[in-house]
């Protein structure tokens, strides 16, 4: 009898735990973020690589290209197309990443081609489709709350 009682108690505990987890589901937010039943969606990640034409530019020219690169990042963020961006610390061949809020490589490539550093050949990008939490789209707003100064 103790075993039956224990099994019944465990089933009840598991059921209430599962219910508690499901009760936090926000259907409206899931629809707004285009989440699937797992709370996930497809993004496109760009790995930024050192371009082949870096040495063709003077330091002043590269500084201007970098300003355009940063302005482009800010524009993509304002348009809701960029979830996150950032450089790798070592700064070697792999320069950084972008996570685009788009579902196809073609859309990401079109956005990539608006970047002055890509246009100048200072950077190039490898595009990879990535399946991750739809809630990542909330990251830019959260970042604005912790960012003290802009770029």
């Amino acid at each position: 009898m103790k075993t039956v009682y224990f099994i019944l108690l465990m089933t009840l505990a598991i059921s209430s735990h599962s219910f508690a987890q499901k009760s936090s589901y926000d259907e409206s937010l899931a629809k707004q973020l285009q989440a699937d039943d797992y709370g996930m969606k497809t993004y496109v990640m760009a790995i930024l690589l050192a371009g082949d034409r870096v040495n063709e530019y003077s330091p002043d020219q590269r500084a201007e290209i970098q300003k355009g690169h940063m302005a482009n990042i800010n524009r993509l963020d304002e348009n809701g197309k960029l979830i996150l961006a950032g450089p790798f610390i070592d700064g070697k061949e792999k320069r950084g990443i972008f996570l685009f809020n788009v579902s196809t490589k073609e859309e990401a490539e079109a956005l990539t081609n608006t970047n002055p550093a890509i246009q100048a050949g200072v950077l190039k990008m490898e595009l990879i489709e990535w399946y991750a939490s739809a809630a990542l789209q909330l990251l830019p707003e959260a970042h604005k709350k912790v960012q003290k100064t802009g770029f």
Side-chain angles (χ1 to χ4, degrees):
M1 185 67 168
K2 288 181 181 179
T3 303
V4 171
Y5 179 72
F6 178 75
I7 291 172
L8 183 59
L9 186 60
M10 290 304 294
T11 303
L12 182 60
I14 290 169
S15 295
S16 65
H17 177 72
S18 296
F19 177 75
Q21 286 180 338
K22 289 181 182 178
S23 67
S24 65
Y25 174 71
D26 185 335
E27 184 175 0
S28 175
L29 181 61
K31 285 181 181 179
Q32 175 189 340
L33 299 177
Q34 299 176 319
D36 64 13
D37 288 346
Y38 300 103
M40 309 280 277
K41 71 170 278 196
T42 300
Y43 300 95
V44 177
M45 181 178 287
I47 306 297
L48 284 73
L49 305 165
D52 301 325
R53 298 180 50 209
V54 174
N55 295 327
E56 294 178 20
Y57 300 97
S58 71
D60 288 342
Q61 289 171 317
R62 286 196 307 270
E64 284 301 311
I65 292 168
Q66 181 65 16
K67 283 181 189 176
H69 171 68
M70 296 306 297
N72 192 63
I73 288 172
N74 289 326
R75 182 184 61 79
L76 292 172
D77 172 54
E78 289 168 8
N79 292 339
K81 295 297 184 183
L82 193 62
I83 301 293
L84 61 87
F88 293 124
I89 301 303
D90 70 9
K92 294 183 181 172
E93 176 66 20
K94 291 183 180 158
R95 305 305 305 244
I97 62 170
F98 284 172
L99 182 59
F100 290 111
N101 189 16
V102 299
S103 56
T104 67
K105 285 184 181 181
E106 292 77 19
E107 291 173 89
E109 186 173 10
L111 295 173
T112 297
N113 289 333
T114 67
N115 190 306
I118 297 294
Q119 294 168 354
V122 172
L123 291 175
K124 57 187 175 183
M125 291 194 198
E126 177 184 344
L127 300 173
I128 304 163
E129 291 176 311
W130 191 47
Y131 184 64
S133 173
L136 286 174
Q137 296 169 79
L138 303 174
L139 184 60
E141 271 309 307
H143 179 73
K144 289 174 186 167
K145 293 177 181 179
V146 299
Q147 178 183 11
K148 194 171 185 178
T149 60
F151 294 105

